[in-house]
Amino acid sequence: MPSSPTGPGASESSGVRRRTLLGAAAAAPLLSAVTSAASASTDSPTSPRALPGGGDLGPNVIVFDPSTADIQARLDEIFRQQESAQFGSGRYALFFKPGTYHGLNAQLGFYTSIAGLGLSPDDTTINGDVTVDAGWFDGNATQNFWRSAENLALVPVSGTNRWAVSQAAPFRRMHVRGSLNLAPDGYGWASGGYIADSRIDGQVGPYSQQQWYTRDSSIGGWLNAVWNMVFSGVEGARPQSFPDPPYTTLDTTPVSREKPFLHLEGDEYRVFLPEKRTGARGVSWGNGTPRGTSLPLSRFYVAQPGVPAATLNQALDEGLNLLLTPGVYHLDETLTVDRADTVVLGLGYATLIPDNGVTALRVADVDGVRLAGFLVDAGPVNSATLLEIGPQGASADHSANPTTVQDVFIRIGGAGPGKATTSMVVNSRHTIVDHTWVWRADHGDGVGWETNRADYGVVVNGDDVLATGLFVEHFNKYDVQWNGQRGRTIFFQNEKAYDAPDQAAVQNGPVKGYAAYKVGDHVTEHEGWGLGSYCYYNVNPSIVQHHGFAAPDRAGVRFHGLLVVSLGGNGQYECVINDTGAPTSGTSTVPSTVVSYP
């Protein structure tokens, strides 16, 4: 195999990305935690309810203030538990009240989120680091999933903070008063990642990161590119130059609305809802208090793991939003969101597991629903769908107040057997899918071509849908099937399923293999920027994939910055999109690119 870059002077190329099998790690006993109850608020609805709003945030929400003793010891304890617990049940949210903290190194393991509780990142300053590295996996960062950092200012001890992640590890609303290193110690393989609404005063060094998407941010510089570096609305971004070096740069993001976040007003917990921006560029919080609205926790049903789905639905029926505290929630019925502007916010990678083949969550064709910060884990009985945004045939105009799906991740297998025919279906118009990783597992427990069968990753039927940061991998058929008109995707990262047994298993009629990203034959308008698909058919390296991308050949369907890669020669692509683009060749792991199509 080709070697990975070995240091800061790494070139614009990288070694093979490969995830070896890793057994599930059992979670250690839960820690005790600092908890806090939210006070009642006068701006909560006055209609009577059977279920209360607000309440205790539970044992796995851990809140620090500058006077808290032994913060580092508590951080280290959680990290020891979570460092290699890739498929464990531990879930943690670490919150820091506004103020200044000194001498901390918060190392983040699996299912661990760290965040400040101010309205601005600069309200909460850590003189120290928030670190993700890959020592647990011999310096390979390609499995550093499911963790996050939000709403903090960092003053790194060495001047540079290390954030060596791959999928499902957002870095949001952060202010790094220094530089940011996106590679593990030793510059091993890494395959991320996502930054949004952040300011990095110094330079971002991706080094061995094979692809990355940065949105609505400000950076002091960007060191290098490997395969696929995409920017939209980023001050200081490298100019458009794909494929040499492979930078795809948009001056602005067409539409964006930042993720909801927990904050403190005095001693009261509230959830801030940022407003929509069009033509966004730079951070949303640069001029002080961000623009948007704030809801008291009394407007939320604060759910604890083990609560039945019927209770969650009752809370939604009574007009409450949902705050899912860290843990695992089994659902024996679908969570149904019928009310406009409902918020479902997970903390610490709260995880929904649908039992008996139900859909985990379904949203009506209403305005302004916000889904954020949780994981959907398929159950052992096949679900037709796991997440549905709008019913079939949804047609209402939501352009003024779209539904947003942010840091919502879907997994089929890995933690155990799981099946779902289609993971995410988007039927509502104008939906914004802002950073998702939809993953049919290639390692862990319950993994096999039929064991964790999942034909389709994301299916978009609604018109005018925008995806910013779309990661979809390893599905048995199409990873993305886009049927709606006027769809747009800014950054797409994909691997085809590793475990196809033979060519016949992936044959799509006369076509060799299912495209990673398929635009419906009837679609007349669609556009994508910065899209990559990789194959690693390690079970049968003789498999040939005709193309990574398939779309109708018409002027209104346009793509910019496309690439396909064969990882180490395990399978090959004949073309990039449709019948266009050079084939991949041999074991060189060199991308085949198309600058624009048609």
Side-chain angles (χ1 to χ4, degrees):
M1 285 186 189
S3 60
S4 60
T6 56
S11 68
E12 306 278 345
S13 63
S14 178
V16 172
R17 172 182 181 230
R18 182 178 180 184
R19 297 179 186 147
T20 56
L21 297 182
L22 183 71
L30 298 180
L31 296 165
S32 60
V34 179
T35 62
S36 178
S39 60
S41 173
T42 57
D43 54 346
S44 60
T46 57
S47 57
R49 291 196 189 101
L51 293 174
D56 195 292
L57 296 178
N60 287 5
V61 173
I62 300 169
V63 181
F64 303 105
D65 65 44
S67 66
T68 301
D70 299 323
I71 295 176
Q72 188 65 54
R74 181 64 65 86
L75 296 174
D76 292 345
E77 181 185 2
I78 296 168
F79 179 65
R80 283 193 298 270
Q81 174 179 319
Q82 298 300 115
E83 180 183 12
S84 59
Q86 181 171 180
F87 298 114
S89 59
R91 304 285 188 274
Y92 291 95
L94 313 176
F95 284 105
F96 286 75
K97 293 183 179 180
T100 302
Y101 300 78
H102 297 280
L104 298 180
N105 181 18
Q107 300 181 83
L108 299 188
F110 287 97
Y111 313 110
T112 305
S113 298
I114 188 170
L117 286 169
L119 275 177
S120 165
D122 290 324
D123 293 341
T124 310
T125 299
I126 293 178
N127 288 294
D129 296 82
V130 171
T131 301
V132 178
D133 206 345
W136 73 279
F137 200 41
D138 298 325
N140 179 344
T142 61
Q143 291 183 22
N144 282 349
F145 314 139
W146 304 307
R147 63 200 76 196
S148 65
E150 299 183 49
N151 204 28
L152 291 165
L154 303 178
V155 184
V157 170
S158 70
T160 301
N161 188 78
R162 185 184 302 278
W163 185 256
V165 300
S166 287
Q167 289 81 5
F171 197 80
R172 288 185 180 270
R173 292 179 59 77
M174 295 289 288
H175 184 187
V176 180
R177 299 176 192 163
S179 295
L180 188 65
N181 182 343
L182 303 178
D185 187 23
Y187 302 94
W189 296 322
S191 187
Y194 176 90
I195 293 171
D197 202 25
S198 294
R199 176 173 290 149
I200 294 92
D201 293 345
Q203 183 166 255
V204 179
Y207 304 111
S208 55
Q209 280 287 354
Q210 290 156 336
Q211 68 277 316
W212 199 277
Y213 175 49
T214 307
R215 177 181 64 71
D216 299 357
S217 295
S218 176
I219 60 176
W222 192 276
L223 181 64
N224 71 293
V226 179
W227 289 341
N228 190 24
M229 301 285 160
V230 180
F231 307 88
S232 68
V234 177
E235 298 167 345
R238 289 281 197 103
Q240 172 72 31
S241 58
F242 187 89
D244 186 21
Y247 296 111
T248 299
T249 303
L250 289 75
D251 286 342
T252 62
T253 304
V255 186
S256 58
R257 190 173 68 189
E258 300 304 331
K259 178 185 171 187
F261 61 92
L262 196 68
H263 71 102
L264 276 172
E265 185 175 283
D267 293 327
E268 181 188 11
Y269 287 98
R270 301 177 69 92
V271 173
F272 192 82
L273 307 178
E275 71 173 22
K276 186 187 76 170
R277 296 201 290 169
T278 56
R281 182 172 173 84
V283 299
S284 69
W285 45 271
N287 295 318
T289 303
R291 300 172 70 92
T293 58
S294 181
L295 298 179
L297 213 59
S298 58
R299 297 278 297 275
F300 288 78
Y301 178 75
V302 179
Q304 306 289 341
V307 64
T311 302
L312 299 174
N313 276 326
Q314 180 184 347
L316 291 168
D317 289 344
E318 293 179 359
L320 288 167
N321 303 293
L322 294 183
L323 186 72
L324 304 172
T325 64
V328 177
Y329 297 75
H330 281 269
L331 306 176
D332 60 359
E333 63 181 60
T334 300
L335 301 185
T336 304
V337 177
D338 292 328
R339 178 175 52 86
D341 300 313
T342 298
V343 180
V344 180
L345 175 62
L347 304 178
Y349 289 88
T351 301
L352 306 178
I353 302 179
D355 294 329
N356 303 318
V358 302
T359 297
L361 193 150
R362 184 176 288 126
V363 178
D365 194 23
V366 295
D367 271 359
V369 172
R370 304 182 195 226
L371 308 180
F374 57 87
L375 173 66
V376 179
D377 210 349
V381 177
N382 185 75
S383 295
T385 59
L386 293 173
L387 176 63
E388 295 181 16
I389 310 301
Q392 185 175 1
S395 59
D397 186 328
H398 303 295
S399 56
N401 186 13
T403 285
T404 47
V405 182
Q406 300 178 285
D407 300 348
V408 173
F409 307 119
I410 296 176
R411 178 173 67 194
I412 300 94
K419 291 187 177 183
T421 303
T422 304
S423 291
M424 182 191 300
V425 180
V426 181
N427 292 318
S428 286
R429 295 181 62 196
H430 303 102
T431 299
I432 300 172
V433 179
D434 176 42
H435 191 227
T436 188
W437 185 39
V438 181
W439 184 58
R440 176 182 167 265
D442 60 88
H443 63 271
D445 291 339
V447 172
W449 184 249
E450 296 295 343
T451 306
N452 62 330
R453 182 83 193 186
D455 284 351
Y456 306 103
V458 175
V459 175
V460 179
N461 296 319
D463 294 341
D464 307 292
V465 171
L466 170 67
T468 51
L470 184 61
F471 299 72
V472 189
E473 298 191 295
H474 305 151
F475 286 85
N476 295 76
K477 293 186 178 179
Y478 292 124
D479 298 276
V480 172
Q481 185 169 350
W482 203 299
N483 300 318
Q485 295 286 359
R486 297 176 298 280
R488 292 175 291 183
T489 294
I490 304 172
F491 184 88
F492 171 69
Q493 185 267 323
N494 165 263
E495 282 183 336
K496 294 304 299 175
Y498 290 180
D499 53 348
D502 50 41
Q503 188 73 46
V506 298
Q507 192 72 12
N508 181 16
V511 180
K512 298 173 185 175
Y514 288 81
Y517 189 107
K518 163 69 172 175
V519 179
D521 294 340
H522 65 284
V523 172
T524 58
E525 292 182 63
H526 187 92
E527 194 159 11
W529 297 263
L531 285 71
S533 177
Y534 324 138
C535 72
Y536 182 68
Y537 288 116
N538 63 327
V539 171
N540 189 335
S542 70
I543 291 174
V544 174
Q545 178 85 20
H546 180 61
H547 47 215
F549 305 91
D553 189 6
R554 52 178 60 104
V557 179
R558 303 183 300 275
F559 290 91
H560 316 273
L562 294 169
L563 67 93
V564 295
V565 180
S566 169
L567 302 181
N570 290 275
Q572 300 290 344
Y573 291 91
E574 292 179 327
C575 303
V576 178
I577 179 168
N578 295 343
D579 300 320
T580 298
T584 57
S585 59
T587 60
S588 61
T589 314
V590 173
S592 177
T593 62
V594 168
V595 174
S596 62
Y597 185 89

